[in-house]
Amino acid sequence: MANQRVSTPFDARSTAAEVISGVDLSGRRAVVTGAAGGIGVETARALARAGAEVTIAVRNIEAGQRVADELAAGAGRVTAASLDLADLDSVRAFVRGWQGPLHILINNAGVMAPPLTRTRQGWELQFATNHLGHFALATGLHDALATAGDARVVALSSRGHLTAPVDFDDINFERRPYDPWVAYGQSKTANVLFAVEADRRWAGEGVRANAVHPGAILDSNLTRYMSQEEVEAAASSGEEFKSPEQGAATSVLVATWPGLAGVGGRYFEDCDEASLNQPGTNRGVAAYALDPEAAEQLWRASLDLPGEA
């Protein structure tokens, strides 16, 4: 499949339950970040119902525990663990607490378009949460993924990545004016670049990484920084919105579908590998998000940034 675009029997209307039907995840372990609401819950539910042992890694542990209890009651082994992606101490604590192999890591959590906010280490919040925290989590869990032998990492990006590449000269908006949507786009481009470079580095160890766009979902915690007017404008824009169950489908597909064994470094939307974006459209993947040189540069920068805290 090295040079072929991947297509599957599923589409934008498929649900997580449909794409995982017939897949047996017994004996496999999964981590889903940000699974206290929205598509994260449906992602964790689908994995657990297929037999996986699922850890939902959440900032609000009380909310996470309620979700874990609900899912465990109907689907098997689900536990909640504390993880604040904007705080590398929290990420390191989660990594230290993990024991044994990890077969599936789904970097689902995210923040979208808040006012300019900096973490206590000084990083712009969207880059810190959406990319840097997940980068530290994945690299910290690398040995657990490699031990699994056939692990998959899924990085949730967004069509928002079409708004902006990564500005390596000013990632944290210290010199340029802050635009919440440009910052969001940069962080979502970073998610794709992470998958490209992680797959290049780790494929030989049996760890494959891909990025996904889940689709537009209004029933999501991501909209919490949008005004009511912005939400209403989005709802009346003609956009085809997905339910949380449909929004989780592409993540679950990429994490579990047997037909994607050995596939990595790619970007999926609506349960298929995306084509390159055509100017003037809002579909597909930007060429700059798949650029191997930018992916390697981001990896190096991500290793350096925590040392500046």
Side-chain angles (χ1 to χ4, degrees):
M1 290 187 180
N3 298 313
Q4 285 186 309
R5 179 167 162 261
V6 178
S7 62
T8 79
F10 308 103
D11 58 27
R13 296 163 295 181
S14 300
T15 65
E18 289 168 347
V19 303
I20 205 171
S21 177
V23 175
D24 183 3
L25 298 180
S26 300
R28 302 179 75 79
R29 306 171 76 206
V31 169
V32 183
T33 67
I39 64 175
V41 174
E42 300 308 322
T43 300
R45 189 192 314 276
L47 298 175
R49 284 182 171 170
E53 176 187 335
V54 181
T55 298
I56 59 173
V58 295
R59 186 166 55 87
N60 184 332
I61 192 63
E62 291 81 10
Q65 192 59 58
R66 288 194 294 271
V67 170
D69 291 344
E70 176 212 335
L71 296 183
R77 295 176 297 173
V78 183
T79 58
S82 178
L83 177 68
D84 183 350
L85 290 161
D87 181 355
L88 286 188
D89 289 338
S90 174
V91 177
R92 293 183 185 111
F94 181 92
V95 169
R96 286 196 302 270
W98 186 267
Q99 295 182 341
L102 175 61
H103 303 85
I104 297 170
L105 172 61
I106 300 183
N107 293 334
N108 169 83
V111 61
M112 182 174 73
L116 177 59
T117 307
R118 300 197 184 278
T119 68
R120 63 187 181 86
Q121 289 94 352
W123 307 313
E124 189 275 316
L125 181 64
Q126 295 187 82
F127 186 81
T129 301
N130 297 347
H131 167 65
L132 196 57
H134 279 129
F135 174 84
L137 179 67
T139 54
L141 292 172
H142 164 264
D143 290 350
L145 292 162
T147 298
D150 58 348
R152 298 191 192 184
V153 179
V154 181
L156 265 74
S157 180
S158 163
R159 70 175 52 162
H161 85 276
L162 298 170
T163 303
V166 175
D167 184 339
F168 290 103
D169 293 326
D170 191 15
I171 287 175
N172 284 308
F173 290 85
E174 294 167 328
R175 294 178 295 279
R176 54 180 167 152
Y178 176 73
D179 182 313
W181 292 106
V182 170
Y184 179 67
Q186 172 181 253
S187 72
K188 295 289 100 178
T189 294
N191 294 147
V192 188
L193 292 172
F194 160 76
V196 170
E197 183 65 7
D199 194 74
R200 186 187 73 82
R201 288 173 178 253
W202 298 346
E205 301 171 282
V207 181
R208 305 311 302 258
N210 289 287
V212 304
H213 166 49
I217 301 111
L218 280 181
D219 184 11
S220 167
N221 289 334
L222 270 182
T223 61
R224 63 186 177 275
Y225 290 110
M226 294 174 66
S227 67
Q228 185 61 35
E229 291 77 11
E230 288 175 316
V231 173
E232 290 174 356
S236 60
S237 66
E239 175 80 57
E240 291 189 17
F241 289 95
K242 296 184 180 184
S243 67
E245 295 85 355
Q246 291 170 323
T250 304
S251 298
V252 172
L253 176 91
V254 172
T256 67
W257 195 54
L260 293 177
V263 172
R266 308 192 190 192
Y267 174 95
F268 289 77
E269 63 184 358
D270 294 340
C271 295
D272 279 331
E273 183 182 355
S275 301
L276 284 176
N277 172 255
Q278 299 302 309
T281 72
N282 65 352
R283 291 190 58 79
V285 59
Y288 56 68
L290 298 177
D291 179 4
E293 292 184 2
E296 185 177 7
Q297 184 177 3
L298 177 66
W299 194 281
R300 293 196 307 268
S302 301
L303 289 173
D304 290 342
L305 280 170
E308 298 174 359

